[in-house]
Amino acid sequence: MDRLRKHIEQITPLTDEEFDYVRTFFTLKKVRKNQYLIHEGDDTKYEYLVLSGIYKVFFVDNAGKEYIVQFAQQNWWMSDYDAFFKEKEATMFIECMDAGEVLYSTLASREKLSADLHKMEHFFRVKLTNGYVALQQRIKLLLSSTPQQRYAEFSKLYPELIERIPKKFIAEYLGVSRETLSRLYAGKS
Amino acid sequence: MDRLRKHIEQITPLTDEEFDYVRTFFTLKKVRKNQYLIHEGDDTKYEYLVLSGIYKVFFVDNAGKEYIVQFAQQNWWMSDYDAFFKEKEATMFIECMDAGEVLYSTLASREKLSADLHKMEHFFRVKLTNGYVALQQRIKLLLSSTPQQRYAEFSKLYPELIERIPKKFIAEYLGVSRETLSRLYAGKS
């Protein structure tokens, strides 16, 4: 739970007493490679804070084609947030690509922590602000960029993911073909 | 300012004393058709709460092509949020499409209000939560859907915008051609 405290204190300091209260809202879970944390059709009860490992958040269209919305690694939060906040069935999947550990928590916990501790409401607001800006950037990239620009932007934002994620998934995330991506990796295009 | 109070109290009730404090952070501005609230290259000092009128948030690529990120109408917040939160120069534009009024406020005001009043931190967290989910939905649509699905989803979410915004801008927002959009309007496709 030290990692949780460190994560929160990047945004707001907590007293020992406050953290002892906060920690009761989170549960540790080990995740195996290829294990699903969320599956389309499930009730979406939890959000996850990644302590280690790599995960992909994706959905599948009627034709069975897969679309990656987000990768997640250490200190990222992830869920099918539309379903989580509205307490609906998931329309997305979260699958572990590289084994690790997560902390999970419920919507009721997020709301109670925010109501009880102004500091935690601040923490969640700052995390949402960062998430909002990241999604707006992703929309701009999807709307406009060439494969070269998308790959360059992704490499700049997430250099460590380039090394750790199979190319086919990065191609899928960027919406480019594997052949194009291979040329970009080789620096030939 | 009654409209501001009503807007905030959809999420959290305020005492008269609290609202008298909150209102001091907002300034009213009348906006003419085709007036810019934010222009690429400007310092991004303000965010805007729409009281009336219709606005478009867009960016322009190196070739001069325009991409609409968002439309905004009554009770929506808008800014170039990446630039606003990071206090950078804008990379986007906000232009008024239909005259109206907005309230504007600074990042320092948002942070001070959130720090001073737990209720206002809660208000901004809830608004960000809704915004985050809306952007995630827009990404899912951009990644996967056919023109028909995009138009159907847009009509369902924003029926009043369909009537009020010229077709060419809706086509641009959806990333479909005007010809395709005209067929969809006519219900022939």
Side-chain angles (χ1 to χ4, degrees):
Chain A
M1 287 285 171
D2 280 356
R3 289 175 287 182
L4 175 62
R5 183 163 187 171
K6 197 176 285 182
H7 177 65
I8 295 169
E9 292 199 331
Q10 285 177 345
I11 290 171
T12 183
L14 296 175
T15 65
D16 289 348
E17 194 185 357
E18 285 167 341
F19 183 69
D20 282 343
Y21 181 63
V22 169
R23 68 191 296 166
T24 63
F25 290 88
F26 291 88
T27 310
L28 183 70
K29 181 185 181 84
K30 284 182 189 296
V31 195
R32 298 184 313 279
K33 187 171 176 175
N34 298 126
Q35 185 176 350
Y36 286 87
L37 291 173
I38 290 181
H39 193 288
E40 183 188 44
D42 288 352
D43 286 337
T44 314
K45 292 188 189 149
Y46 304 115
E47 62 180 332
Y48 301 89
L49 169 62
V50 176
L51 297 178
S52 59
I54 296 186
Y55 307 81
K56 64 172 174 165
V57 183
F58 64 100
F59 64 97
V60 175
D61 71 12
N62 293 336
K65 188 163 157 35
E66 180 179 310
Y67 299 88
I68 297 175
V69 172
Q70 182 196 332
F71 295 115
Q73 58 180 333
Q74 196 179 5
N75 287 335
W76 291 31
W77 292 74
M78 60 186 183
S79 187
D80 175 342
Y81 272 115
D82 180 45
F84 176 74
F85 286 124
K86 296 177 185 164
E87 302 185 274
K88 294 189 306 186
E89 285 183 7
T91 61
M92 298 209 274
F93 301 80
I94 296 182
E95 184 182 354
C96 177
M97 301 173 72
D98 198 2
E101 291 180 327
V102 296
L103 291 172
Y104 64 92
S105 185
T106 63
L107 180 61
S109 295
R110 172 184 271 251
E111 296 302 319
K112 176 120 179 71
L113 272 174
S114 295
D116 289 353
L117 288 175
H118 188 170
K119 285 177 181 177
M120 287 304 293
E121 185 116 53
H122 178 69
F123 170 77
F124 284 120
R125 181 174 69 85
V126 171
K127 295 305 286 184
L128 276 163
T129 299
N130 298 343
Y132 185 90
V133 167
L135 290 187
Q136 201 169 62
Q137 298 292 71
R138 178 138 169 72
I139 288 170
K140 282 183 73 175
L141 270 180
L142 280 173
L143 279 172
S144 73
S145 306
T146 63
Q148 285 85 339
Q149 287 171 317
R150 291 186 195 182
Y151 177 74
E153 187 71 19
F154 185 78
S155 307
K156 199 175 73 185
L157 286 171
Y158 314 114
E160 66 290 0
L161 290 180
I162 292 281
E163 304 300 323
R164 296 180 65 190
I165 294 177
K167 275 182 212 167
K168 63 175 274 204
F169 295 121
I170 292 179
E172 204 178 293
Y173 175 89
L174 297 175
V176 305
S177 72
R178 288 178 67 176
E179 294 69 28
T180 302
L181 191 74
S182 291
R183 279 204 311 278
L184 293 169
Y185 263 85
K188 303 265 172 49
S189 181
Chain B
M1 288 284 172
D2 280 357
R3 288 174 288 182
L4 175 62
R5 182 162 189 172
K6 198 177 283 182
H7 176 66
I8 296 169
E9 292 199 330
Q10 284 176 345
I11 290 172
T12 183
L14 296 175
T15 65
D16 290 347
E17 194 185 357
E18 285 165 342
F19 183 69
D20 282 343
Y21 181 63
V22 169
R23 67 191 297 166
T24 64
F25 289 88
F26 291 89
T27 309
L28 183 69
K29 182 187 181 80
K30 283 182 190 297
V31 196
R32 297 185 312 280
K33 186 170 177 176
N34 298 127
Q35 185 176 350
Y36 286 87
L37 291 173
I38 291 181
H39 193 289
E40 184 188 44
D42 288 351
D43 287 337
T44 314
K45 293 189 188 149
Y46 304 116
E47 62 179 333
Y48 301 89
L49 169 62
V50 176
L51 297 178
S52 58
I54 296 186
Y55 307 82
K56 63 172 175 166
V57 184
F58 64 102
F59 64 98
V60 174
D61 70 13
N62 293 337
K65 188 164 156 36
E66 180 179 312
Y67 299 88
I68 297 176
V69 172
Q70 182 195 331
F71 296 114
Q73 58 179 334
Q74 196 181 3
N75 288 334
W76 289 33
W77 292 73
M78 60 186 183
S79 188
D80 176 343
Y81 273 114
D82 180 44
F84 176 74
F85 286 124
K86 296 177 186 164
E87 303 186 273
K88 295 190 306 189
E89 285 183 7
T91 62
M92 299 208 274
F93 301 81
I94 296 182
E95 183 182 355
C96 177
M97 301 173 73
D98 198 2
E101 292 180 327
V102 297
L103 291 171
Y104 64 93
S105 186
T106 64
L107 181 62
S109 294
R110 174 185 271 250
E111 295 304 318
K112 175 115 177 75
L113 271 175
S114 295
D116 290 351
L117 288 175
H118 188 170
K119 284 177 181 177
M120 287 305 293
E121 185 117 53
H122 178 68
F123 169 77
F124 284 120
R125 182 174 69 86
V126 171
K127 296 305 287 185
L128 277 162
T129 300
N130 298 343
Y132 185 90
V133 167
L135 291 187
Q136 200 170 63
Q137 299 292 72
R138 177 137 169 74
I139 289 170
K140 283 183 72 175
L141 270 180
L142 280 173
L143 280 171
S144 73
S145 305
T146 63
Q148 284 86 341
Q149 287 171 317
R150 290 187 196 181
Y151 177 74
E153 188 70 17
F154 185 78
S155 308
K156 198 175 73 185
L157 286 172
Y158 313 115
E160 66 291 359
L161 289 181
I162 291 281
E163 303 300 323
R164 295 181 64 190
I165 295 177
K167 276 182 211 170
K168 64 175 274 206
F169 295 121
I170 293 179
E172 205 177 291
Y173 175 89
L174 297 175
V176 305
S177 72
R178 287 178 68 178
E179 295 68 29
T180 302
L181 192 73
S182 292
R183 280 203 310 279
L184 293 169
Y185 263 85
K188 303 268 169 50
S189 181

